[in-house]
Amino acid sequence: MNEWKMRPIGYVRSSYTDTKQVPKGLGTKHTLEGTLDVLPEFEEGLLDIEGYSHLFILWVFHRGGGYELIGRPPTDNRPHGVFSTRSPRRPNAIGLTVVELLKREGPILYLRGIDMLDGTPVLDIKPYTSSVPMDKLRRGWLEEAEKREAADR
Ligand SMILES: C[S@@+](CC[C@H](N)C(=O)[O-])C[C@H]1O[C@@H](n2cnc3c(N)ncnc32)[C@H](O)[C@@H]1O
């Protein structure tokens, strides 16, 4: 089996220290601010990043472990395949979060929209340039779960 070794390029600093503190469920908006502290040896790679309002952060679910191919996310009471959810319990424990870049001070990126625990290792940063028009975007079971919840209210 092929395996790839990766190393953190930095760490998230956030006020979440326990998974229970991270807001969950339908309609959750992540507004927490925190930082991504990039390791000194990678700081040069941040050149020009200030021009972007939003970034993709790729990171590791370093707390916890194991995976399940079918699970019940907190956003629905129906089972779904892991690859149609954002579950932390996945074969490769990689998280992906879109954050707003508030400012940069040297190797420190100030971010809004954090859903990671304090000390989360970050594998990569990429500029967010996605522009899928709303009328082309399908949101699968999540959209159906939102409609069911709205009808129950
Ligand atoms: C549903 S996942 C989504 C994460 C990311 N936005 C994604 O889509 O990959 C977010 C949950 O991961 C958990 N979490 C955050 N940081 C973690 C870490 N470093 N290790 C393990 N679990 C973590 C928290 O319970 C949080 O509610």
Side-chain angles (χ1 to χ4, degrees):
M1 200 206 291
N2 286 327
E3 290 186 354
W4 291 269
K5 225 176 180 173
M6 293 196 199
R7 57 191 167 147
I9 56 118
Y11 293 89
V12 171
R13 293 292 157 218
S14 124
S15 60
Y16 296 140
T17 53
D18 190 290
T19 53
K20 291 191 198 82
Q21 297 168 329
V22 186
K24 291 183 178 58
L26 288 174
T28 298
K29 299 250 183 303
H30 293 286
T31 55
L32 185 75
E33 292 182 16
T35 63
L36 194 177
D37 299 4
V38 172
L39 295 172
E41 61 264 43
F42 300 114
E43 179 180 348
E44 201 183 347
L46 294 173
L47 180 68
D48 295 335
I49 205 160
E50 298 90 336
Y52 291 97
S53 63
H54 291 78
L55 303 172
F56 287 117
I57 308 294
L58 287 145
W59 49 278
V60 181
F61 292 104
H62 75 307
R63 292 238 221 118
Y67 66 90
E68 46 191 16
L69 295 181
I70 301 288
R72 281 175 200 274
T75 39
D76 200 3
N77 51 13
R78 299 182 182 190
H80 300 285
V82 66
F83 302 122
S84 65
T85 75
R86 309 196 69 127
S87 168
R89 297 178 51 74
R90 38 205 327 117
N92 290 314
I94 297 174
L96 171 68
T97 301
V98 175
V99 294
E100 185 179 352
L101 175 61
L102 301 173
K103 63 172 176 170
R104 171 186 167 196
E105 280 176 4
I108 303 182
L109 302 179
Y110 288 79
L111 308 175
R112 181 185 293 135
I114 286 199
D115 63 354
M116 310 83 141
L117 299 176
D118 188 46
T120 293
V122 171
L123 297 175
D124 205 357
I125 305 168
K126 300 189 191 211
Y128 179 84
T129 53
S130 179
S131 57
V132 181
M134 281 308 281
D135 62 331
K136 295 266 188 256
L137 192 66
R138 288 192 298 125
R139 295 172 55 250
W141 63 263
L142 193 55
E143 204 164 332
E144 289 158 25
E146 284 167 356
K147 282 185 189 145
R148 277 201 306 277
E149 200 214 37
D152 290 348
R153 256 191 259 136

